[in-house]
Amino acid sequence: MAMAVTMEVGNDGVAVISISNPPLNIINAAMLAALKEKFGEATRRRDVKAIVLTGKGGRFSGGFDINAFQNPSGDTSDRTIESIDLVLNTIEDCKKPVVAAIEGLALGGGLELAMGCHARIAAPKTQLGLPELTLGVIPGLGGTQSLPKLVGVSKAIEMMLFSKLIMSEEGKLLGLIDEIATSEELVRVSRLHALEISDGCKPWVRSLHRTDKIGSLSEAQQLLRTAREQAKRTAPNMPQHLACLDAVEEGLLHGGYKGLLKEAAVSKELVQSNTTKALTHLFFAQRATAKVPNITDVGLKPNNVKKVGIIGGGIMGSGIATSLMLSNITVFLKEINSEYLLKGMKTVEGGYYIDTLRAPFVNIVL
């Protein structure tokens, strides 16, 4: 199924804009352009009072297309400016309230799109996060500016620097999510929330303008200093960590718009770096190992393993034996003599209590 951005306007005056790019609704340049077009249409139409942004197929969005990092041809500055224009000018500064209806996952650029909206409604167990640093880049759709404003500086640093994912339930406690609704009720609840914002019954919140979660500037700067020291110790050859912190600090000191400009400039530099190229190559290489020609593509199924023989009962052998036995697999352990065999058995027994009825242990001495 091809990438598509659709819009449906209901009798309630809510325009539902849906993104579709199976299986994860990955964002690319064409989708950004299509989103801008649909938002422009919804803004102009007099029969539209509010907007809901959602994803098809039970997922909001898995983020920006990583292939763009692997092949950063063309003018990346133009793409960055277009991204900022969509999130800031088109969505956050939209003259009609915009609510994100999030299900399944909202990662990277997907979460950044959601944070540009004026409220976020999520289904239970929805994954949220900004894992861009694992690829050598930083959030480039306003994430370095919006996330600290929504969850606080400390939590934002933790989520970005460690690429930590959270569930929507935790997001609700942090203030990243406004309401939790079942998958069946998600769009309906989001429509009502959007109309309540339009009618003045709920606050119209622009993430970049919030300051209530920041705390004092001195405390925020101390958090950033501590994070920088940790990054220098633990990831001295990863420039994206310090670059991310620089973008966050720029926004705290000089405002969200200046922070966005810093984020854009840093993103342009990083996407061309050797670090990003190497980490992106690693990302695709790891996934390629799961695709073996004439094996993974022909429907082969593994046999049900009931017995396993292990040669050597040392640290590695005994550890493997323990894991297999806890999976109800009979283990035959071979050693060169009874002394080594007994040592291996004791190592297994010392690590875990083994239920011999559930996982019988059979030993053979050469």
Side-chain angles (χ1 to χ4, degrees):
M1 186 182 294
M3 185 279 296
V5 178
T6 59
M7 184 177 76
E8 295 180 2
V9 180
N11 294 329
D12 56 358
V14 177
V16 177
I17 297 177
S18 303
I19 58 178
S20 177
N21 191 11
L24 298 178
N25 294 335
I26 296 300
I27 302 166
N28 53 31
M31 182 177 287
L32 291 176
L35 278 169
K36 186 174 181 180
E37 179 184 343
K38 294 300 181 185
F39 270 95
E41 180 184 347
T43 302
R44 291 189 301 270
R45 285 180 58 161
R46 293 184 177 181
D47 60 335
V48 173
K49 299 194 326 186
I51 301 168
V52 168
L53 177 63
T54 191
K56 294 280 191 180
R59 295 176 176 86
F60 187 76
S61 173
F64 208 86
D65 186 2
I66 299 173
N67 288 294
F69 305 148
Q70 195 176 38
N71 302 298
S73 58
D75 193 343
T76 56
S77 62
D78 287 346
R79 186 163 56 238
T80 302
I81 291 171
E82 290 171 2
S83 302
I84 292 176
D85 180 57
L86 173 68
V87 175
L88 178 63
N89 299 327
T90 304
I91 299 179
E92 182 149 349
D93 288 345
C94 183
K95 299 185 184 305
K96 298 175 181 179
V98 184
V99 173
I102 310 168
E103 183 180 6
L105 49 79
L107 305 178
L111 180 58
E112 291 177 280
L113 280 180
M115 290 192 294
C117 298
H118 307 120
R120 287 150 295 281
I121 315 299
K125 306 300 180 185
T126 297
Q127 287 187 312
L128 310 168
L130 298 178
E132 286 91 340
L133 270 69
T134 58
L135 295 172
V137 295
I138 68 172
L141 287 175
T144 63
Q145 306 307 305
S146 297
L147 192 60
K149 303 291 181 68
L150 291 169
V151 303
V153 177
S154 179
K155 188 65 179 182
I157 290 174
E158 177 189 351
M159 289 178 65
M160 288 188 285
L161 261 58
F162 298 104
S163 297
K164 181 182 178 182
L165 305 186
I166 65 172
M167 291 297 183
S168 50
E169 289 78 6
E170 183 179 355
K172 175 70 165 59
L173 296 175
L174 293 169
L176 180 58
I177 299 299
D178 294 275
E179 291 186 51
I180 302 289
T182 65
S183 297
E184 296 77 14
E185 293 288 302
L186 181 61
V187 173
R188 186 187 69 82
V189 172
S190 299
R191 298 174 86 114
L192 290 175
H193 197 105
L195 288 172
E196 288 179 320
I197 295 176
S198 177
D199 295 337
C201 300
K202 288 189 182 294
W204 191 320
V205 180
R206 292 177 171 85
S207 300
L208 284 180
H209 295 271
R210 288 186 63 170
T211 59
D212 55 297
K213 293 290 186 73
I214 298 301
S216 71
L217 187 58
S218 60
E219 290 175 352
Q221 287 183 302
Q222 180 56 49
L223 288 169
L224 290 167
R225 280 194 293 270
T226 302
R228 281 194 180 93
E229 292 170 1
Q230 184 177 7
K232 289 176 182 178
R233 290 196 309 270
T234 59
N237 299 314
M238 298 290 184
Q240 68 270 29
H241 292 77
L242 295 179
C244 181
L245 295 171
D246 289 344
V248 172
E249 185 172 45
E250 182 74 14
L252 295 177
L253 293 177
H254 305 293
Y257 184 71
K258 289 289 184 67
L260 286 173
L261 295 178
K262 179 72 173 180
E263 178 185 280
V266 170
S267 295
K268 181 183 176 182
E269 294 176 6
L270 288 174
V271 78
Q272 303 282 357
S273 70
N274 289 332
T275 300
T276 297
K277 293 175 183 177
L279 290 174
T280 303
H281 171 78
L282 177 63
F283 175 87
F284 285 108
Q286 287 175 329
R287 279 145 185 81
T289 59
K291 300 177 182 178
V292 182
N294 299 319
I295 295 180
T296 59
D297 56 354
V298 295
L300 294 179
K301 295 182 179 180
N303 292 326
N304 184 23
V305 177
K306 296 180 179 180
K307 299 178 181 180
V308 173
I310 300 175
I311 300 175
I315 295 175
M316 184 179 295
S318 60
I320 295 171
T322 301
S323 298
L324 291 169
M325 292 164 67
L326 291 175
S327 297
N328 295 322
I329 297 175
T330 300
V331 174
F332 293 84
L333 182 63
K334 288 195 175 187
E335 264 293 2
I336 58 174
N337 57 46
S338 58
E339 179 185 352
Y340 286 170
L341 180 61
L342 289 172
K343 284 183 178 180
M345 292 175 65
K346 287 182 178 178
T347 302
V348 173
E349 293 170 354
Y352 297 96
Y353 171 76
I354 302 300
D355 184 344
T356 56
L357 293 176
R358 186 165 60 90
F361 194 102
V362 182
N363 55 74
I364 300 175
V365 182
L366 292 177

